[in-house]
Amino acid sequence: MADKITKIDSEKMDTASSVNDFLMKNRKPVLCVAAIVVVAIVVGIVTACVTDSIRKNDSIALDSISFELTKNSSALSDEEISERRKVAMDKLSSYASKKNIIGARANLLIAELYYQMDDFENARSHYLNVASISNKSYLAPNAYYNAAQCSESLKDYENAVSYYEKALTYNDFAASSHTLFNIGRVKEQLKDYEGAKEAYSKITSSYSSDEWAKLAKSRLIDFDLKGLVK
């Protein structure tokens, strides 16, 4: 047993000696690798700090643009409001290409401005940018909902239904019953009464105490009276 322990200790010493010899013979490369690791860590920390600082500055800039856009706006003429929108859009354009929350916020502001101008095509495009950039945040379902609203204004009913349905894929979307009702309403426009019935029925079964459920029930009764569905 003692011989076995002695042999193990000897092997440990040989291993330690080999490691030590390796480190001594290769101390420059090893030290270089260690230095590289330390530098990488430092660079990572600095980059994170710089990124965070840039993002904060960008957020402040967006707040400033929004403030300048709305400050004392009730007293402005239509021409002055139009000029403010133009200035705001010019400033926002440099932030809209960012693939982070700053880009999402910039696109959202631009979309709202286009929507106010009844430019639903451009508004929709920027709402979809918001959804793409922030596809896992609460902004996405609202952006899809707004893109659907723009599509309705453009009489693009097929895409309106598609974007409403995308909004519904988010479990935490607060306007689910309203969105389902909109799907039913748009499908009525398309004369897809079976599809409309399905949407209205989902409201009555899943949101029975909701105000939209009452409206959905009235539409289903109307369908029955007119013989529009089986």
Side-chain angles (χ1 to χ4, degrees):
M1 184 65 154
D3 290 342
K4 188 175 181 181
I5 293 171
T6 302
K7 184 179 179 182
I8 292 171
D9 289 342
S10 176
E11 287 175 353
K12 285 183 179 179
M13 288 177 65
D14 288 344
T15 301
S17 178
S18 298
V19 171
N20 188 55
D21 287 344
F22 173 80
L23 291 174
M24 289 302 293
K25 289 177 184 176
N26 301 278
R27 58 184 180 277
K28 258 191 183 175
V30 170
L31 288 174
C32 286
V33 170
I36 290 169
V37 171
V38 171
V39 169
I41 292 170
V42 171
V43 168
I45 292 169
V46 171
T47 301
C49 291
V50 170
T51 301
D52 188 53
S53 177
I54 290 171
R55 195 166 293 178
K56 283 180 181 176
N57 290 336
D58 286 348
S59 183
I60 291 169
L62 291 183
D63 289 340
S64 177
I65 293 168
S66 182
F67 176 74
E68 290 298 325
L69 177 66
T70 57
K71 182 178 66 175
N72 301 323
S73 59
S74 60
L76 298 177
S77 66
D78 289 344
E79 287 184 4
E80 288 171 322
I81 289 173
S82 179
E83 180 60 26
R84 278 200 184 182
R85 285 173 180 159
K86 183 178 181 303
V87 170
M89 281 204 221
D90 286 343
K91 290 180 178 179
L92 289 166
S93 62
S94 62
Y95 299 99
S97 61
K98 294 179 180 289
K99 302 300 181 184
N100 55 25
I101 187 62
I102 297 302
R105 283 185 58 195
N107 275 283
L108 185 58
L109 280 168
I110 294 170
E112 294 294 335
L113 290 172
Y114 275 126
Y115 195 91
Q116 290 170 17
M117 295 159 60
D118 293 338
D119 185 345
F120 301 114
E121 191 71 59
N122 275 313
R124 178 171 66 177
S125 176
H126 285 280
Y127 281 130
L128 292 175
N129 284 346
V130 175
S132 175
I133 294 168
S134 298
N135 65 330
K136 292 183 180 178
S137 82
Y138 72 96
L139 291 175
N142 290 290
Y144 279 126
Y145 181 94
N146 289 335
Q149 293 272 292
C150 291
S151 297
E152 280 201 67
S153 297
L154 293 165
K155 300 189 186 307
D156 182 2
Y157 298 121
E158 296 286 352
N159 272 322
V161 170
S162 176
Y163 296 137
Y164 281 135
E165 287 175 343
K166 284 183 178 179
L168 287 174
T169 62
Y170 291 81
N171 295 327
D172 55 349
F173 184 43
S176 293
S177 59
H178 188 181
T179 302
L180 275 169
F181 188 86
N182 285 346
I183 289 172
R185 179 175 51 74
V186 174
K187 287 196 172 185
E188 281 194 62
Q189 291 266 16
L190 295 168
K191 300 191 184 307
D192 178 7
Y193 298 113
E194 288 295 336
K197 177 185 177 181
E198 182 182 354
Y200 293 142
S201 297
K202 282 182 182 177
I203 302 172
T204 58
S205 62
S206 301
Y207 307 94
S208 56
S209 59
D210 195 286
E211 286 297 314
W212 294 105
K214 295 177 183 177
L215 290 172
K217 284 177 183 177
S218 69
R219 296 308 305 139
L220 291 171
I221 291 169
D222 190 55
F223 283 2
D224 286 337
L225 290 173
K226 292 178 179 177
L228 294 173
V229 292
K230 295 178 182 179

